[in-house]
Amino acid sequence: NLSIKDLCIEYEGKQVLSSIDIEIKNAHSIAIIGPSGGGKSTLLRIIAGLETPSSGNISINGKDIAFRENFLNEYRKSIGVVFQSYNLFPHISAIENITLPLVQIHKLDKKDAVQRAESLLKRFQLMDHSHKRPSQLSGGQQQRVAIARAIAIKSQFLLLDEPTSALDPELTSEVLDMIDELKGEYRDLILVTHEMGFAKKACDYTLFIADGKVIEHGHSKDIFENPKSEQLMGFLDKIL
Ligand code: ATP
Ligand code: MG
């Protein structure tokens, strides 16, 4: 459950999100779609606790996010985040990318961290690449390692910001398959994406954001098959 009340944020006096008000129940996977510059990443960063809104409240599964430093420090540890690009630490191997946060931030034993990392790498067919640095991996492999790292902490929430935007179609489906597989688990995920087919098929709920406002939101099927606003119709026409 995600509830956002009267959320606003401005940068340099410019309103980037204005009065976002939504209440979503019984959705485990939420897609955020919309034109470039509309505020999708900004909203995701606020939900991740990486940015503080000018006003408003967010609560996730009934718990408010308190935008205070000591709360946020703990809160950020509890969610997995994957960004558009530049996800991995460049100077260490794939497996170390996964184990480092587990050991340093989550205080796992090295041995347990390696075990957890290996089981994820195996599961996502990345074992052959575990010793490679990010620059030696394909874009799709890098994003899969980034997602493995984000879920290694066993967070309840996974936030993904266009995890496939830098990938060609084949690698895109590789990463989308992986995300689809995660949905079967206990996790809730919020995904910013330009992959409309995936949003429709794989996400329970879709938010359409443009010009800093939620223009339409609803079950994915309704949003894609029965758009109501001119803006969403125009957006879908252009992109499909
Ligand atoms: P895209 O699809 O291109 O990723 P988006 O919907 O994710 O776009 P945001 O990154 O949320 O868009 O940006 C929304 C607006 O806020 C943009 O006009 C952007 O220039 C502005 N913006 C975002 N972050 C900052 C910042 N730190 N300082 C100033 N302006 C910002
Ligand atoms: Mg963005």
Side-chain angles (χ1 to χ4, degrees):
N1 293 4
L2 175 67
S3 157
I4 301 181
K5 288 209 185 79
D6 202 25
L7 187 78
C8 298
I9 187 166
E10 48 184 66
Y11 292 119
E12 297 151 3
K14 184 175 161 280
Q15 197 88 332
V16 168
L17 292 175
S18 45
S19 304
I20 305 267
D21 245 313
I22 42 168
E23 179 92 43
I24 302 174
K25 290 203 170 113
N26 302 322
H28 293 290
S29 48
I30 298 172
I32 301 179
I33 62 168
S36 182
K40 304 180 297 298
S41 298
T42 303
L43 179 60
L44 206 72
R45 282 204 306 275
I46 295 174
I47 297 173
L50 297 170
E51 201 101 44
T52 298
S54 324
S55 63
N57 289 305
I58 301 187
S59 79
I60 296 181
N61 291 349
K63 267 203 234 150
D64 280 346
I65 304 176
F67 289 94
R68 278 179 277 107
E69 213 41 48
N70 50 356
F71 175 90
L72 289 176
N73 283 335
E74 283 308 305
Y75 172 75
R76 286 184 200 119
K77 286 187 205 169
S78 72
I79 41 183
V81 186
V82 178
F83 293 104
Q84 280 174 279
S85 51
Y86 309 114
N87 272 299
L88 300 172
F89 308 118
H91 55 290
I92 55 177
S93 67
I95 188 159
E96 287 165 332
N97 261 279
I98 300 175
T99 56
L100 188 78
L102 291 177
V103 171
Q104 302 220 325
I105 300 169
H106 298 277
K107 311 295 176 207
L108 255 73
D109 282 346
K110 184 81 201 266
K111 199 168 120 268
D112 296 338
V114 169
Q115 217 169 42
R116 202 183 281 184
E118 283 182 345
S119 87
L120 284 166
L121 289 168
K122 271 200 201 96
R123 178 171 161 199
F124 298 117
Q125 282 91 48
L126 290 164
M127 246 343 234
D128 292 346
H129 309 291
S130 68
H131 62 285
K132 294 184 185 170
R133 290 179 185 211
S135 62
Q136 300 169 310
L137 297 168
S138 76
Q141 289 163 349
Q142 289 185 41
Q143 280 304 54
R144 278 152 61 213
V145 172
I147 295 169
R149 180 176 65 184
I151 64 177
I153 61 173
K154 306 209 165 145
S155 54
Q156 193 196 344
F157 278 101
L158 189 57
L159 306 178
L160 302 131
D161 191 353
E162 300 193 42
T164 62
S165 63
L167 307 178
D168 62 35
E170 200 177 322
L171 298 178
T172 294
S173 65
E174 203 176 83
V175 171
L176 293 179
D177 285 348
M178 179 175 175
I179 295 168
D180 205 29
E181 206 187 308
L182 296 176
K183 279 184 24 206
E185 301 175 7
Y186 60 94
R187 267 179 209 95
D188 292 323
L189 63 88
I190 302 180
L191 167 73
V192 176
T193 187
H194 286 295
E195 299 293 329
M196 297 302 137
F198 186 78
K200 179 181 173 188
K201 182 169 63 97
C203 297
D204 305 330
Y205 207 89
T206 296
L207 299 183
F208 172 61
I209 294 184
D211 300 330
K213 297 185 193 71
V214 175
I215 308 288
E216 257 186 78
H217 61 103
H219 293 289
S220 299
K221 199 168 174 297
D222 298 334
I223 290 290
F224 288 101
E225 288 179 2
N226 207 356
K228 297 201 168 53
S229 61
E230 293 282 330
Q231 266 165 299
L232 177 54
M233 280 185 242
F235 177 74
L236 292 176
D237 270 349
K238 233 183 342 195
I239 206 158
L240 291 177

